Amino acid sequence: MAFEKSKIAVMSRLRGVRSWKTETFCRFFSLFLLLGCLPVSLVQADITDGNTEHLKREHSLIKPYQGVGTSSTPLWDFGGSTLLTSQYVRLTPDERSKQGSIWNRVPCFLKDWELHVQFKIHGSGRKNLHGDGIGIWYTKEKLQPGSVFGSQDHFVGLGIFVDTFRNELQGMDRSFPYISAMINNGSLVYDHGKDGRPTELGGCSAEVRNKDHDTYLAVRYSKGRLTVMIDVEDRNEWKECFDVSGVRLPTGYLFGSSAATGDLADNHDILSMKVYQLMVEHTPEEDSMDWTKIEPSVSLLKSPKDNIDDPTGNFRSAPLTGWKVFLLLLCALLGIIVCAVVGAVVFQKRQERNKRFY
């Protein structure tokens, strides 16, 4: 009898040790996953959440619209078909062959900045019978009408395009509306026939038209990195559109927006444009540079793409954050499965021993 009790006590201790080991393993594995997921959370939170402490009002267009056009010291100019109301700035009405734009008059001398654009594209045209889109600009010149979404071609600076009409019928590997970016030093031409593919840095498809709510776009430029984020579902959550390294933009350029219609039309509305200063440290060499003399350029790891091998339109010179998220989620799933299997085995062994000794 004493022997049986001793045996039961030993087995209980062994089960306790194994349970402790299993629990410890799961705890360490969970900690590993938590630490692994932390960088992703930091990346997702990297876009500023609109802290007014960094808002630069001299570069921002906010309701009620003051200092626009007719003021004695206007901060913004507009031209073409642009209509200013109390609720929105309509760049083009839902009519054919219209062009309109609005431009900040104050040059931006921030080395690192972020632009949030609240906009709305809507109209009576049915699917594929609407156009043409909106251009978001950071360029050397302003109020220059032209063929690139209501602004001039051969521009100098950065253009972000929300293209709502497909011109290239062979380009069926992407859906429209489509958001893309282009850096130009004045020598490049935007190819409408190919929807800008020859000079495109990166892009993504986004259902921004005829939404019941406003849509948002964020452009972040910091330490040679250009990131574009979107929120088309009005969830107050940014989703990465594309991320490109090796971008060089000067200071002293101007923010603006333009839009155009052709044979097809849409209302193109801007509700707000907010510029935020990013507090970033630079090396002494960078601080001593004359940033106004920088020529807009981008160091590509490959030539401007035709996107045949990349239907998503994401330029691959930047870290693949999507793959990182996928791998971390996969590790988390495997961890849960391992813990579940180990726990089930330990529980089954314990049940078998209980049946054996009792």
Side-chain angles (χ1 to χ4, degrees):
M1 189 69 178
F3 172 75
E4 290 296 330
K5 289 182 178 180
S6 299
K7 187 174 182 180
I8 292 173
V10 170
M11 296 305 296
S12 298
R13 290 179 180 177
L14 288 175
R15 287 197 299 271
V17 170
R18 290 180 180 178
S19 299
W20 175 81
K21 287 183 177 180
T22 303
E23 184 180 357
T24 303
F25 169 78
C26 291
R27 286 180 178 177
F28 274 107
F29 197 87
S30 300
L31 180 61
F32 167 76
L33 292 176
L34 179 62
L35 292 175
C37 291
L38 183 59
V40 175
S41 300
L42 291 176
V43 169
Q44 291 175 340
D46 204 20
I47 288 287
T48 180
D49 58 359
N51 189 343
T52 56
E53 184 176 301
H54 301 110
L55 178 66
K56 309 303 288 185
R57 293 190 177 276
E58 66 271 26
H59 302 303
S60 298
L61 179 69
I62 307 172
K63 292 187 288 187
Y65 305 121
Q66 297 177 351
V68 180
T70 58
S71 173
S72 58
T73 56
L75 297 177
W76 293 80
D77 283 332
F78 58 88
S81 60
T82 301
L83 173 66
L84 179 66
T85 74
S86 61
Q87 298 299 317
Y88 54 81
V89 177
R90 177 154 293 170
L91 301 177
T92 71
D94 191 2
E95 300 175 7
R96 294 181 179 180
S97 303
K98 297 293 183 180
Q99 289 187 356
S101 64
I102 186 166
W103 290 87
N104 188 209
R105 294 190 65 184
V106 182
C108 178
F109 290 97
L110 303 176
K111 298 175 183 176
D112 305 88
W113 49 263
E114 187 168 305
L115 170 66
H116 292 188
V117 182
Q118 181 182 4
F119 68 100
K120 195 174 182 66
I121 301 176
H122 56 104
S124 58
R126 297 181 180 180
K127 185 176 182 180
N128 300 327
L129 295 177
H130 48 79
D132 285 323
I134 290 178
I136 308 296
W137 304 97
Y138 176 69
T139 57
K140 185 176 182 179
E141 297 180 331
K142 64 183 178 71
L143 287 174
Q144 299 292 321
S147 61
V148 185
F149 301 97
S151 194
Q152 68 174 350
D153 207 344
H154 296 282
F155 62 91
V156 180
L158 167 67
I160 306 291
F161 310 126
V162 184
D163 190 352
T164 59
F165 181 75
R166 180 195 303 275
N167 289 286
E168 186 179 23
L169 298 180
Q170 295 180 348
M172 303 303 291
D173 57 339
R174 62 173 63 173
S175 60
F176 281 69
Y178 190 82
I179 300 174
S180 64
M182 176 180 175
I183 299 288
N184 200 349
N185 61 2
S187 65
L188 301 177
V189 176
Y190 181 84
D191 191 338
H192 276 283
K194 295 184 179 179
D195 297 315
R197 287 188 184 223
T199 52
E200 178 189 325
L201 298 183
C204 67
S205 299
E207 293 294 335
V208 298
R209 187 176 178 272
N210 275 352
K211 292 288 187 177
D212 294 331
H213 50 264
D214 300 333
T215 45
Y216 301 84
L217 182 146
V219 184
R220 178 187 180 95
Y221 177 69
S222 180
K223 294 186 75 67
R225 194 180 196 91
L226 179 69
T227 306
V228 172
M229 310 284 282
I230 56 175
D231 177 9
V232 299
E233 301 299 334
D234 198 22
R235 295 177 179 174
N236 199 28
E237 296 178 358
W238 292 116
K239 177 182 177 182
E240 183 176 303
C241 178
F242 60 87
D243 187 13
V244 183
S245 300
V247 176
R248 288 173 56 83
L249 290 173
T251 58
Y253 281 15
L254 299 156
F255 291 106
S257 180
S258 65
T261 64
D263 293 334
L264 303 174
D266 256 337
N267 296 303
H268 297 95
D269 299 340
I270 298 293
L271 287 86
S272 69
M273 297 178 67
K274 301 177 181 179
V275 176
Y276 298 90
Q277 181 178 8
L278 301 178
M279 310 308 292
V280 178
E281 292 186 2
H282 289 272
T283 64
E285 292 77 11
E286 291 173 333
D287 287 331
S288 63
M289 292 172 50
D290 186 353
W291 285 61
T292 62
K293 303 298 184 183
I294 294 176
E295 182 181 55
S297 63
V298 58
S299 302
L300 302 176
L301 295 184
K302 59 179 180 179
S303 60
K305 58 182 174 46
D306 57 8
N307 287 326
I308 293 177
D309 59 345
D310 186 7
T312 63
N314 288 320
F315 187 67
R316 299 299 187 185
S317 67
L320 303 180
T321 56
W323 281 107
K324 290 181 181 179
V325 174
F326 171 77
L327 291 175
L328 288 170
L329 290 176
L330 181 61
C331 290
L333 179 61
L334 290 176
I336 293 172
I337 294 174
V338 169
C339 289
V341 171
V342 172
V345 171
V346 171
F347 179 78
Q348 184 177 3
K349 294 293 184 182
R350 180 178 296 178
Q351 293 296 103
E352 291 176 358
R353 291 193 182 95
N354 289 339
K355 292 179 179 179
R356 186 182 304 169
F357 291 110
Y358 295 100

